Amino acid sequence: MKISVDFGHCLSGADTGAASQGYREEILTREVGKIVVNLLKKAGHDVLIVSPDSGMTSVSQSLQYRVNKSNNWGADFFVSIHFNSGGGYGTEIYTFNGKIIDRAKKVLDRFTALGYINRGIKDGSQLAVVKGPSCPSMLVECCFIDTNDMERYSSVNMGKIIAEGINGGTIEGSSNNSGGDIMDKNVYVQTKTLDTDGVDGIQVNKYMEKFLNKNFYVKANGSGILFESQYMTLDEANKVKSNLGDEFLHFCFRS
Ligand SMILES: [Zn+2]
């Protein structure tokens, strides 16, 4: 089957997503989406990433780009991945006219099993990426970026649920929620954006230990400082997570 995967929003330009608690929607949609892409390929599907990362001058241009790319390719199914905001809780999926399609139902049921509130399958007829594709489409709002929904955030779990929901069955090699064979050695860790407490910088030595003396990258923005590690095994990443305590933000996976 030919499947278009749309990572919600762009990394820069006109169509960036919601941001809260140190998270950015456009990064989360790519973390989850890349796992969806890898697993669907693993299951033998043809997959096309239809989202642009940058260069869009308006939201409508960004949305139309995705729809056109998918329609020109002739996809059989379109999935758009997003995170909600506004202070709510749970998972919801948009389909054309709110039609209860099997894939949407499967995905929603399994998000609910992860502990998320089931907000239902809703009418997405007004959404460009639901009404525009010439094939069936669903837009998944995984959870809320601005509430403690994010405590259960896992790109691995969410990506697996979405991919297997679309596939209609388990995808081999992805059964281990802690990472599985395809993810191991490809984990990196990000900290929360750290407040420098009025000091001009942070004490790097302390973090070298916390990061097991692995390489890490220090990034600053207007609100503080973020650390990102080099790739590690899942075991190492878990050690770094416990070393960081409250400063841990999330794991990212690449394969
Ligand atoms: Zn969004």
Side-chain angles (χ1 to χ4, degrees), residues 9 25 82-83:
H9 305 282
E25 183 184 0
H82 284 258
F83 284 72

Side-chain angles (χ1 to χ4, degrees), residues 8-9 15-18 25-26 29 81-85 139-141:
H9 305 282
D15 183 21
T16 52
E25 183 184 0
E26 59 274 16
T29 61
I81 299 164
H82 284 258
F83 284 72
N84 223 330
S85 65
L139 183 151
V140 182
E141 294 277 9

Side-chain angles (χ1 to χ4, degrees), residues 20 40 77 83 147 150 187 212:
S20 183
L40 287 173
F77 191 76
F83 284 72
T147 67
M150 289 303 292
V187 186
L212 311 172

Side-chain angles (χ1 to χ4, degrees), residues 194-204 218 220-221 224-225:
L194 304 173
D195 189 344
T196 56
D197 255 347
V199 186
D200 284 342
I202 47 118
Q203 198 193 341
V204 170
V218 183
N221 63 20
I225 290 169

